[in-house]
Amino acid sequence: MNTYPTRWTRPPQIIRSKFWRIALMLLALAYLVAASASIDVNWTRVSEGLTRGARFVGGFLTPDFTTRWRDISQGLVESLTMTLTATVAGVLISIPFGIGAARNISPVWVYSFCRAVIALSRSLQEIIVAILLVAFFGFGAFAGFVTLTFATIGFIGKLLADDIEECDPKQIEAIRATGAGWGQVVHYAVQPQVMPRMIGLSVYRLDINFRESAVIGIVGAGGIGGTLDTAMSRYDYSSAGAILLIIIAIVMLSEYASSRMRGWLK
């Protein structure tokens, strides 16, 4: 029979010396004070910002969906189209890179190349990639599509490779023992173990790509983000509030659909 403790015991301390615990706390406090003192706060701008913030909150609480609905709907359709196509393309491209980046089923040279591509994709933030691609291809949704596709490759490829490396080796060896080739091992031993999580990750990346489309649109990569930036620059806070509410609603709907799909797969 399992017995549980009836008295609370203090967990072990990482730093046993009381002197060093107090010294580290004082050093941390001194650092926070010094860092706060180094911040140049312009209280006039703060007061003006609070006034603008109050106007924005007022516009957010009274959203205007009708005045600029044509621009909002166009940006929304562009974001949804860009998100869906970039997710599908990114997932399809990331599958071979994810398989190649799995050490337990890929040769060393393939593993090194695929890991390098995934690391490159993960090292660049979407907004930076969007700025570069807007400079290459100009303003529009194509730059946003390429940006989200590139980011999806790193995200899905990394997690897929990790899942493959964590697969049950007994199942892989059992398929290999039958004389199956490399492709058959992937299809019959690896794919059944990683497919449910792969579907869940793809839906999750769809959610991320839509949120990122609102960010990269600010730098000219198309989508609802450009419409939001235009509304903010015009101080049209009611339209900006409507756009934010639409983004929140779509993200919540996507999260609900993702959780339902994950539950169905389990």
Side-chain angles (χ1 to χ4, degrees), residues 86-87 89-91 93-94 116-126 128-130 132-133 143-157 205 209:
T87 303
V91 169
I93 298 173
S94 67
V117 173
I118 292 174
L120 177 63
S121 173
R122 288 168 52 82
S123 63
L124 297 175
Q125 219 279 334
E126 285 87 342
I128 299 176
V129 178
L132 296 175
L133 293 177
F145 163 76
V146 179
T147 299
L148 296 179
T149 301
F150 182 73
T152 302
I153 293 173
F155 180 85
I156 298 293
R205 186 63 210 187
N209 281 345

Side-chain angles (χ1 to χ4, degrees), residues 8 20 32 41 44 46 48 58 64 74 79 95 108 112 125 141 156-158 173 176 181 186-187 210 253 255:
W8 179 84
W20 285 112
L32 290 176
V41 180
T44 303
V46 171
E48 293 176 355
D64 183 6
Q74 182 178 355
S79 270
I95 290 175
V108 176
S112 301
Q125 219 279 334
I156 298 293
K158 172 68 165 60
E173 291 300 324
R176 284 176 176 167
V186 173
H187 182 68
F210 179 76
L253 181 63
E255 179 65 24

Side-chain angles (χ1 to χ4, degrees), residues 225-238:
T227 310
L228 177 61
D229 183 56
T230 301
M232 293 293 293
S233 62
R234 294 176 176 175
Y235 302 102
D236 188 2
Y237 296 130
S238 296

Side-chain angles (χ1 to χ4, degrees), residues 29-42:
L29 181 61
Y31 173 78
L32 290 176
V33 172
S36 301
S38 65
I39 300 176
D40 186 14
V41 180
N42 188 331

Side-chain angles (χ1 to χ4, degrees), residues 153-171:
I153 293 173
F155 180 85
I156 298 293
K158 172 68 165 60
L159 295 179
L160 176 60
D162 292 345
D163 287 341
I164 294 175
E165 290 180 346
E166 294 175 0
C167 285
D168 185 4
K170 296 179 181 178
Q171 187 172 343

